[in-house]
Amino acid sequence: MIDGNTIVALLFLACVLGYLYLRSRVKKSQEPICTGSHCTLPDCEDHGPPRTDLSKQPPLKPERIHESEVQLEARMERLLARYRFSEGEFFVEPYLQLGSQDPSILNQSFEILWALPLAETRTCQLVFEQSQPGIRVDQSTRVINLEGVPPHVLYFARVQGFTPSSKLQYAIELGGMKIFYATAQTPIARQSQQQRFAVVGDMGEGSEGQKQIANLIWQAQPSLVAITGDVVYSRGRVKEYLARLFPVFNGVPASSITGAPIMRSVITFSCGGNHCFGRRRSDTQDSLDDYADLYAYFIYLSMPQNGPKKLGAQTSVPVLNGKNWRVQAFLDAAGSRYPSQANFSFNWGSAFWLVLDANGYMNWSEPELRAWVERELTAAKADPNCVWRFVNLHQPAFTSQPKHKLEVEVRKLFDLFAKYGVNIVFCGHSHWYERSYPLGYNANRKDRDGNMGLDLSFDGISRRFPKGIINIISGAGGAQLNDGKVSRDPKLWESFTCKIVADRHSYTLCDIDGKSLTIQQIDEDGTVIDKIVVEQR
């Protein structure tokens, strides 16, 4: 016979089994099933999930991929770990720069830079895959030894005697073995009347938009790339260059998913943005005691050193905060590039470029600074080869972006820009594309906006001869966009603003043909979102 305890146990077991059965039926009823055109099964090959009616949804903002500083540090530790003892591997793969030589001979020389771990002791040199009569290389090195970054050797190879406007195949030879191959676009000749260059800024977040823009620039094949500042986010550190610039703008293969190998083939230069110099806001300044690898702009970029400020200057230079030994470590890494590289000029074919620091510590009323700007512009205007005159700076003198409308120190130079015939001022800082009407700002008025002298008749289509300076903000290169109420409502724009596009990443593509300049703004999908033609008589 079955006793009472057994009966109780069987009843309990039956209850448990019944509960589990009912629970499984409820759960199964809640699982997605294929129901035809309104299938909710995520991986259904026939139908897929139901489609949202996009006409009833607000426009989506471009995706932003952003790491916290903790995440960046962790990723960089993993990335840098493989460089600590490895040999035969680049710390930074080769890339092209204007070089720090005398700008008067810039069109006859350029530099190729690369870095190897300090542990690598074999002889390393630049060689060429094809012969060009008279070509020669002057090679030097500098040890980069900063706290928190594996020590490495930065190589500088100055190339001279090449054929202008040509493709130059080169290789890096380590211990007698070639370990890297690429093709360099050499500087164009001064007398050349045709050129293509790209302008982009505020891009270095490692975002999907940055990678798409990099790939589009690569496809356009410019002879020069101008960056309008904020090369990387958020402090301009060495680790951020290694994580967010070189992998995207100098990586292979070229694709909209990974970026493109622009820097190994095309010369790239930049002005210094606030995020280049450890200034997350206009009124703050990071210390080398907190981030010993700040100011990578002066370490990895190599550009002309004909600026007005030299080492020891006390005003209008990027501020170096921190213990003396950390400051000295940075100065050893930067060499003569700090602080003179913050402001410089150079010629590129028929174009003259004036590159300026517009950060909050600058005082463009200083006689020394104004005199330097006037000398550079005077020489450019007197040079018959300088048909076009461009200025590249980060903080725009004229923008409808509410956050940046008061950062207008550089307006003090617009009288000189107008006097010596500057055609375009390229800027960043506002994370969108913005184009002004041609304007003739007069700082002698008492009110902040002065006398704009707007040329409202210029349209760049049928009327192509502007009366004034056009300001172009190309700050949509990959960082989070400033899309919002102001960008979408022209009634909220300043009087000088002609166009704003803030709902997508984009870059600027410029083509010079004699006295005609075509400017196109191209978005991340390759669509032209603005186009004007500027002509000179």
Side-chain angles (χ1 to χ4, degrees), residues 8 212 219 477 534:
V8 171
Q212 292 170 331
Q219 292 177 11
V534 179

Side-chain angles (χ1 to χ4, degrees), residues 328-393:
Q328 189 58 53
F330 160 72
L331 293 175
D332 291 342
S336 59
R337 290 187 292 279
Y338 174 86
S340 62
Q341 190 173 265
N343 298 282
F344 60 93
S345 68
F346 67 96
N347 296 311
W348 190 265
S350 62
F352 167 80
W353 285 88
L354 182 66
V355 184
L356 302 178
D357 185 351
N359 280 290
Y361 49 76
M362 295 299 296
N363 177 10
W364 283 107
S365 295
E366 283 188 25
E368 176 191 9
L369 296 179
R370 282 187 59 87
W372 176 77
V373 169
E374 187 157 23
R375 283 197 305 271
E376 297 300 308
L377 290 174
T378 299
K381 189 173 183 178
D383 186 345
N385 288 318
C386 289
V387 179
W388 297 94
R389 289 175 277 283
F390 304 128
V391 174
N392 180 23
L393 50 87

Side-chain angles (χ1 to χ4, degrees), residues 135-177:
I135 196 167
R136 60 190 185 277
V137 177
D138 180 15
Q139 191 166 301
S140 61
T141 61
R142 183 180 298 277
V143 174
I144 310 301
N145 192 4
L146 299 170
E147 185 180 7
V149 179
H152 53 284
V153 179
L154 188 57
Y155 288 76
F156 302 81
R158 180 180 299 175
V159 183
Q160 296 176 284
F162 53 83
T163 303
S165 305
S166 66
K167 302 288 187 180
L168 184 62
Q169 296 178 350
Y170 69 93
I172 301 300
E173 191 175 83
L174 179 63
M177 181 182 299

Side-chain angles (χ1 to χ4, degrees), residues 254-536:
S255 79
S256 60
I257 299 174
T258 59
I262 299 170
M263 297 182 72
R264 67 187 60 193
S265 296
V266 183
I267 293 174
T268 302
F269 74 96
S270 179
C271 64
N274 55 302
H275 288 280
C276 293
F277 298 154
R279 298 172 65 87
R280 300 184 72 184
R281 297 195 306 269
S282 61
D283 58 346
T284 63
Q285 179 63 61
D286 288 332
S287 169
L288 289 163
D289 288 340
D290 297 320
Y291 307 97
D293 59 340
L294 289 172
Y295 303 108
Y297 175 94
F298 294 104
I299 297 172
Y300 288 132
L301 303 186
S302 181
M303 297 172 292
Q305 297 179 23
N306 61 336
K309 294 291 184 176
K310 306 301 179 185
L311 186 62
Q314 300 298 311
T315 59
S316 295
V317 294
V319 180
L320 301 181
N321 292 329
K323 292 182 174 63
N324 290 339
W325 65 272
R326 287 195 175 99
V327 172
Q328 189 58 53
F330 160 72
L331 293 175
D332 291 342
S336 59
R337 290 187 292 279
Y338 174 86
S340 62
Q341 190 173 265
N343 298 282
F344 60 93
S345 68
F346 67 96
N347 296 311
W348 190 265
S350 62
F352 167 80
W353 285 88
L354 182 66
V355 184
L356 302 178
D357 185 351
N359 280 290
Y361 49 76
M362 295 299 296
N363 177 10
W364 283 107
S365 295
E366 283 188 25
E368 176 191 9
L369 296 179
R370 282 187 59 87
W372 176 77
V373 169
E374 187 157 23
R375 283 197 305 271
E376 297 300 308
L377 290 174
T378 299
K381 189 173 183 178
D383 186 345
N385 288 318
C386 289
V387 179
W388 297 94
R389 289 175 277 283
F390 304 128
V391 174
N392 180 23
L393 50 87
H394 184 61
Q395 289 86 345
F398 304 95
T399 180
S400 290
Q401 167 56 259
K403 293 193 300 183
H404 304 317
K405 287 197 293 187
L406 298 180
E407 299 177 64
V408 295
E409 172 69 19
V410 78
R411 285 189 181 184
K412 296 175 181 178
L413 295 177
F414 266 71
D415 61 323
L416 297 179
F417 294 170
K419 180 178 179 180
Y420 295 101
V422 168
N423 304 104
I424 311 288
V425 176
F426 293 102
C427 316
H429 205 37
S430 298
H431 292 184
W432 61 29
Y433 167 69
E434 180 177 354
R435 173 168 60 85
S436 78
Y437 292 103
L439 55 85
Y441 173 71
N442 181 358
N444 294 324
R445 291 277 297 266
K446 291 183 179 180
D447 57 304
R448 181 174 58 85
D449 286 334
N451 177 11
M452 291 298 173
L454 300 178
D455 179 7
L456 300 178
S457 65
F458 173 84
D459 60 11
I461 303 173
S462 60
R463 298 181 178 180
R464 302 180 175 185
F465 298 91
K467 298 175 183 177
I469 301 168
I470 298 173
N471 293 261
I472 290 180
I473 299 176
S474 191
Q480 183 181 23
L481 297 167
N482 292 148
D483 189 21
K485 182 178 180 181
V486 172
S487 63
R488 300 183 185 190
D489 186 356
K491 294 178 182 178
L492 301 177
W493 298 355
E494 298 291 331
S495 62
F496 49 73
T497 298
C498 178
K499 185 162 188 174
I500 295 177
V501 179
D503 63 347
R504 66 200 75 179
H505 293 106
S506 64
Y507 81 99
T508 311
L509 185 63
C510 302
D511 289 283
I512 292 176
D513 185 1
K515 292 189 175 184
S516 178
L517 168 65
T518 301
I519 302 174
Q520 301 180 82
Q521 195 68 19
I522 301 174
D523 74 6
E524 54 205 0
D525 294 325
T527 303
V528 177
I529 57 177
D530 191 26
K531 180 179 179 179
I532 60 171
V533 178
V534 179
E535 294 186 351
Q536 299 186 49

